[in-house]
Amino acid sequence: MNDTIDINTILNLPEDEVNVLAVNRTDDGIVNIFIEKANPICFCSECGTRMHSKGVYVRKVKHPVLNGPYAGESVLNVEQRKWKCPNCGHYENDSFSFIEKGKQSTDIMPLMILEELKNPNVTCRDVAER
Protein backbone atom coordinates (compact mmCIF):
# COMPACT_ATOMS: atom_id res chain seq x y z
CA MET A 1 0.00 0.00 0.00
CA ASN A 2 1.20 3.50 -0.79
CA ASP A 3 2.53 5.54 2.19
CA THR A 4 0.90 8.72 0.86
CA ILE A 5 -2.57 7.16 0.95
CA ASP A 6 -2.00 5.88 4.48
CA ILE A 7 -0.85 9.29 5.73
CA ASN A 8 -3.72 11.11 4.04
CA THR A 9 -6.15 8.68 5.64
CA ILE A 10 -4.59 8.83 9.10
CA LEU A 11 -4.36 12.63 9.12
CA ASN A 12 -7.71 13.02 7.35
CA LEU A 13 -6.11 15.19 4.65
CA PRO A 14 -7.98 15.69 1.36
CA GLU A 15 -6.13 13.55 -1.24
CA ASP A 16 -7.20 15.76 -4.14
CA GLU A 17 -5.76 18.85 -2.43
CA VAL A 18 -2.48 17.64 -0.90
CA ASN A 19 0.60 15.66 -1.95
CA VAL A 20 2.67 14.20 0.88
CA LEU A 21 6.34 14.64 -0.04
CA ALA A 22 8.09 13.01 2.93
CA VAL A 23 7.68 11.91 6.53
CA ASN A 24 10.51 11.72 9.03
CA ARG A 25 11.03 11.61 12.78
CA THR A 26 13.69 13.66 14.53
CA ASP A 27 15.81 12.42 17.44
CA ASP A 28 13.62 14.33 19.91
CA GLY A 29 10.45 12.50 18.70
CA ILE A 30 8.90 15.17 16.46
CA VAL A 31 7.24 13.72 13.34
CA ASN A 32 7.72 16.07 10.39
CA ILE A 33 5.29 15.64 7.51
CA PHE A 34 6.12 17.60 4.37
CA ILE A 35 3.16 18.44 2.12
CA GLU A 36 2.48 20.60 -0.91
CA LYS A 37 -0.51 21.65 -3.00
CA ALA A 38 -1.59 18.84 -5.34
CA ASN A 39 -2.31 21.15 -8.28
CA PRO A 40 0.49 23.74 -8.58
CA ILE A 41 -1.39 25.88 -11.15
CA CYS A 42 -3.14 29.08 -10.10
CA PHE A 43 -5.39 31.46 -12.01
CA CYS A 44 -5.99 35.08 -11.01
CA SER A 45 -9.21 35.67 -9.11
CA GLU A 46 -9.35 39.22 -10.50
CA CYS A 47 -8.84 38.69 -14.26
CA GLY A 48 -8.56 34.91 -14.85
CA THR A 49 -4.99 34.96 -16.20
CA ARG A 50 -2.61 32.11 -15.29
CA MET A 51 -0.39 33.36 -12.47
CA HIS A 52 3.39 33.02 -12.08
CA SER A 53 5.00 31.55 -8.96
CA LYS A 54 7.14 33.97 -6.99
CA GLY A 55 8.69 31.24 -4.82
CA VAL A 56 7.94 28.65 -2.16
CA TYR A 57 7.97 29.15 1.60
CA VAL A 58 7.46 26.54 4.30
CA ARG A 59 4.80 27.07 6.94
CA LYS A 60 4.94 24.91 10.08
CA VAL A 61 1.49 23.91 11.35
CA LYS A 62 0.74 21.64 14.31
CA HIS A 63 -1.56 18.71 13.62
CA PRO A 64 -2.83 17.10 16.86
CA VAL A 65 -4.03 13.75 15.44
CA LEU A 66 -0.70 11.99 15.94
CA ASN A 67 0.18 13.79 19.16
CA GLY A 68 0.23 11.74 22.31
CA PRO A 69 2.49 10.16 24.91
CA TYR A 70 3.85 7.54 22.47
CA ALA A 71 3.63 9.33 19.15
CA GLY A 72 5.35 12.56 20.18
CA GLU A 73 4.49 15.78 18.36
CA SER A 74 3.50 15.99 14.70
CA VAL A 75 4.20 19.04 12.55
CA LEU A 76 2.94 19.65 9.02
CA ASN A 77 5.57 21.45 6.97
CA VAL A 78 3.31 23.02 4.37
CA GLU A 79 5.04 24.22 1.21
CA GLN A 80 3.06 27.22 0.03
CA ARG A 81 3.61 29.29 -3.08
CA LYS A 82 3.16 33.01 -3.57
CA TRP A 83 1.59 33.85 -6.92
CA LYS A 84 1.63 37.05 -9.00
CA CYS A 85 -0.61 37.81 -11.96
CA PRO A 86 1.44 39.12 -14.92
CA ASN A 87 -1.65 40.88 -16.30
CA CYS A 88 -3.05 42.88 -13.36
CA GLY A 89 -0.32 42.47 -10.68
CA HIS A 90 -2.63 40.75 -8.15
CA TYR A 91 -0.85 38.63 -5.49
CA GLU A 92 -2.19 35.44 -3.85
CA ASN A 93 -0.84 32.70 -1.59
CA ASP A 94 -1.73 29.01 -1.74
CA SER A 95 -4.55 28.17 0.63
CA PHE A 96 -5.61 24.85 2.13
CA SER A 97 -9.10 23.92 3.29
CA PHE A 98 -7.88 22.48 6.60
CA ILE A 99 -5.69 25.43 7.66
CA GLU A 100 -7.10 28.88 8.39
CA LYS A 101 -5.08 31.93 7.39
CA GLY A 102 -2.75 32.99 10.21
CA LYS A 103 -3.43 29.91 12.39
CA GLN A 104 -0.68 27.67 13.77
CA SER A 105 -2.75 24.48 14.00
CA THR A 106 -5.13 22.68 11.66
CA ASP A 107 -8.92 23.02 11.80
CA ILE A 108 -9.27 19.60 13.41
CA MET A 109 -8.35 20.90 16.89
CA PRO A 110 -11.76 22.54 17.64
CA LEU A 111 -13.51 19.38 16.44
CA MET A 112 -11.40 17.23 18.77
CA ILE A 113 -12.24 19.51 21.71
CA LEU A 114 -15.97 19.37 20.94
CA GLU A 115 -15.81 15.58 20.65
CA GLU A 116 -14.18 15.27 24.08
CA LEU A 117 -16.72 17.64 25.65
CA LYS A 118 -19.54 15.31 24.59
CA ASN A 119 -18.45 12.93 27.34
CA PRO A 120 -20.43 13.90 30.50
CA ASN A 121 -17.65 12.58 32.76
CA VAL A 122 -15.06 15.02 31.37
CA THR A 123 -14.80 18.59 32.58
CA CYS A 124 -13.61 21.57 30.57
CA ARG A 125 -10.54 21.71 32.76
CA ASP A 126 -9.66 18.09 31.86
CA VAL A 127 -9.92 18.89 28.16
CA ALA A 128 -7.81 22.05 28.53
CA GLU A 129 -5.08 20.16 30.38
CA ARG A 130 -4.88 17.60 27.57
Side-chain angles (χ1 to χ4, degrees):
M1 191 175 248
N2 189 348
D3 289 339
T4 303
I5 294 170
D6 290 340
I7 292 166
N8 283 345
T9 303
I10 291 169
L11 299 179
N12 197 22
L13 298 176
E15 287 184 42
D16 59 334
E17 184 179 2
V18 174
N19 287 334
V20 178
L21 301 174
V23 179
N24 63 39
R25 182 181 281 246
T26 62
D27 293 336
D28 50 345
I30 297 173
V31 177
N32 286 301
I33 304 161
F34 296 88
I35 63 173
E36 69 177 356
K37 196 84 164 163
N39 185 7
I41 298 173
C42 186
F43 292 92
C44 182
S45 60
E46 302 291 321
C47 67
T49 305
R50 185 171 175 175
M51 299 179 83
H52 294 260
S53 174
K54 300 307 280 180
V56 177
Y57 64 97
V58 178
R59 179 176 171 193
K60 293 182 184 262
V61 180
K62 293 183 180 179
H63 192 67
V65 169
L66 294 179
N67 293 354
Y70 302 108
E73 181 181 349
S74 60
V75 176
L76 292 178
N77 294 279
V78 182
E79 291 188 3
Q80 291 184 283
R81 290 186 183 275
K82 186 171 186 173
W83 300 93
K84 181 182 179 189
C85 179
N87 187 35
C88 67
H90 175 72
Y91 275 95
E92 283 185 24
N93 294 330
D94 279 341
S95 61
F96 295 86
S97 64
F98 57 93
I99 305 171
E100 287 184 42
K101 186 176 181 177
K103 297 288 183 176
Q104 295 181 352
S105 65
T106 59
D107 290 346
I108 198 165
M109 180 66 87
L111 297 175
M112 291 174 66
I113 292 170
L114 290 174
E115 188 65 34
E116 286 200 33
L117 288 174
K118 287 181 182 177
N119 184 348
N121 298 325
V122 176
T123 64
C124 292
R125 184 179 182 144
D126 293 336
V127 173
E129 285 175 356
R130 279 187 235 149

